[in-house]
Amino acid sequence: MKPIRLPANRFPRFYRGGPAIDELRGTTPEAGAAFLPEDWVGSTTTAFGSGVDGLTRLEDGRTLREAVAADPEGFLGREHAEAYGDSPALLVKLLHAGERLPVHCHPDREFARRHLDCPWGKTEAWVIAGTEGPEAVVHLGFREAMDPGRLAGLVAGQRVEPLLAGLNAVPVAVGDTVLVPAGLPHAIGQGVLLVELQEPTDLSVLLGWEGFAIDGRRHGHLGLGFELALGCVDRSAWSQDRLARLRGGRGPDRPGVERLFPAEADPFFRAERLSPDPTARLEAAFSILVVTGGSGRLETAGGSLELARGATVLVPFAAGAGEVRGRLAAVRCLPPAPDAGPTVQGAP
Ligand SMILES: [Zn+2]
């Protein structure tokens, strides 16, 4: 199999953003498209409540989901397919926050399994790829433990200011990484562009949606009602030391390759930063490359592709081992190791 170049895959969301994705990809923004802040890259996941939005479509007209279902071992490798069936077990996005995102969080696997009949939660992680202005921040975790009654009151009254002030404001710069465990309340600050890895779902609980083009009272609780939905929120205190652990990486792994995210991320996804020196070797694996700068070339046993800033490429397992060459920077996104994720019903 050959590596597959992926076109943009955008659809409307309820918050503003998108120009930085066009700038990265070198595409022209659609007229009037102020609400295209996400680009789902190599996605077999649909947006919550939609049967279509989010799915990557291949040149031959099939969705990637259909193509993987027809050849899970070719795309994913045998070990992965034995563990997760025909799910890549990974969702990758480009996300540009044209405005600060609403305060929200995501359920973990146990909550999703119990209440949403879904084996995946939505632990996510960010690789910062761009910022605007001098004071880019993300808001992350309550600074002091949050009482459940107070949280319910802030959400019911949509008192976004105290909610936001209760979170840590964490400055970010290009190249930084942040692991966001399921449950941790967060909001990406205005102007931040990121490569996002997450479990393959679109499950969000909204805490502060006032001012956004969404009726959070109706659509913010996953159909569970807020009394139940707020049970997925991590209300514990996040000190600077605790936050620092989410921002760590693993350092060099092999020439031209640095492993991103702390070990706590491994059950959910893995990622590498490629900066070929002059080459970076890649083992055979289902992976998604996002080129954040420079240009070069991907060579695999199955085929080669030119790479330039903004390119996104799906490398199927059956493309085999390969390498990346050139003066470029890329994020290589990988699913969890086959023995690390949840048991997926329907997997052989
Ligand atoms: Zn989120």
Side-chain angles (χ1 to χ4, degrees), residues 59-127:
E59 263 183 355
D60 64 11
R62 291 183 301 171
T63 60
L64 176 62
R65 184 192 268 179
E66 290 167 332
V68 175
D71 184 9
E73 284 193 21
F75 273 93
L76 306 171
R78 176 177 294 185
E79 265 190 290
H80 180 113
E82 281 173 359
Y84 307 124
D86 57 12
S87 171
L90 172 71
L91 174 59
V92 175
K93 292 179 188 175
L94 300 172
L95 188 154
H96 172 223
E99 58 186 328
R100 174 188 55 75
L101 265 61
V103 180
H104 68 283
C105 75
H106 309 287
D108 67 10
R109 287 173 182 168
E110 203 201 316
F111 187 97
R113 197 163 34 232
R114 184 175 299 180
H115 302 297
L116 298 160
D117 195 27
C118 175
W120 309 99
K122 197 165 97 89
T123 286
E124 63 189 38
W126 308 327
V127 182

Side-chain angles (χ1 to χ4, degrees), residues 47-310:
F48 188 74
S50 169
V52 185
D53 284 346
L55 296 177
T56 290
R57 201 163 278 281
L58 301 176
E59 263 183 355
D60 64 11
R62 291 183 301 171
T63 60
L64 176 62
R65 184 192 268 179
E66 290 167 332
V68 175
D71 184 9
E73 284 193 21
F75 273 93
L76 306 171
R78 176 177 294 185
E79 265 190 290
H80 180 113
E82 281 173 359
Y84 307 124
D86 57 12
S87 171
L90 172 71
L91 174 59
V92 175
K93 292 179 188 175
L94 300 172
L95 188 154
H96 172 223
E99 58 186 328
R100 174 188 55 75
L101 265 61
V103 180
H104 68 283
C105 75
H106 309 287
D108 67 10
R109 287 173 182 168
E110 203 201 316
F111 187 97
R113 197 163 34 232
R114 184 175 299 180
H115 302 297
L116 298 160
D117 195 27
C118 175
W120 309 99
K122 197 165 97 89
T123 286
E124 63 189 38
W126 308 327
V127 182
I128 310 295
T131 59
E132 292 156 17
E135 289 174 359
V137 294
V138 296
H139 306 270
L140 208 59
F142 289 121
R143 296 190 302 164
E144 292 171 18
M146 174 63 77
D147 173 78
R150 176 150 191 262
L151 177 62
L154 291 173
V155 173
Q158 276 307 285
R159 297 181 57 215
V160 175
E161 266 184 37
L163 196 56
L164 201 59
L167 298 175
N168 293 282
V170 179
V172 289
V174 171
D176 286 358
T177 63
V178 185
L179 172 65
V180 185
L184 191 68
H186 58 278
I188 298 160
Q190 180 173 10
V192 175
L193 171 70
L194 42 89
V195 179
E196 184 172 51
L197 291 88
Q198 52 193 225
E199 293 181 77
T201 72
D202 188 32
L203 303 174
S204 294
V205 172
L206 298 183
L207 306 178
W209 61 81
E210 186 71 20
F212 288 87
I214 187 168
D215 180 357
R217 237 170 271 284
R218 249 180 105 180
H219 300 294
H221 51 70
L222 297 169
L224 301 174
F226 274 110
E227 196 175 328
L228 180 54
L230 292 182
C232 82
V233 182
D234 175 355
R235 291 179 292 95
S236 68
W238 280 80
S239 65
Q240 292 302 316
D241 282 354
R242 216 178 157 201
L243 286 171
R245 293 209 291 275
L246 301 178
R247 307 188 67 193
R250 314 272 268 283
D253 183 72
R254 54 195 190 277
V257 181
E258 180 193 349
R259 276 197 77 183
L260 304 176
F261 311 138
E264 289 77 8
D266 288 358
F268 306 102
F269 35 70
R270 296 164 291 159
E272 297 173 341
R273 194 189 326 266
L274 308 181
S275 32
D277 180 25
T279 63
R281 286 179 172 283
L282 314 178
E283 82 288 5
F286 173 89
S287 59
I288 289 173
L289 298 183
V290 178
V291 181
T292 53
S295 62
R297 192 170 172 81
L298 166 69
E299 310 237 0
T300 71
S304 327
L305 276 181
E306 296 297 326
L307 300 177
R309 182 169 183 269

Side-chain angles (χ1 to χ4, degrees), residues 21-28 309-310:
I21 297 174
D22 286 300
E23 197 279 324
L24 176 73
R25 279 194 175 279
T27 49
T28 309
R309 182 169 183 269

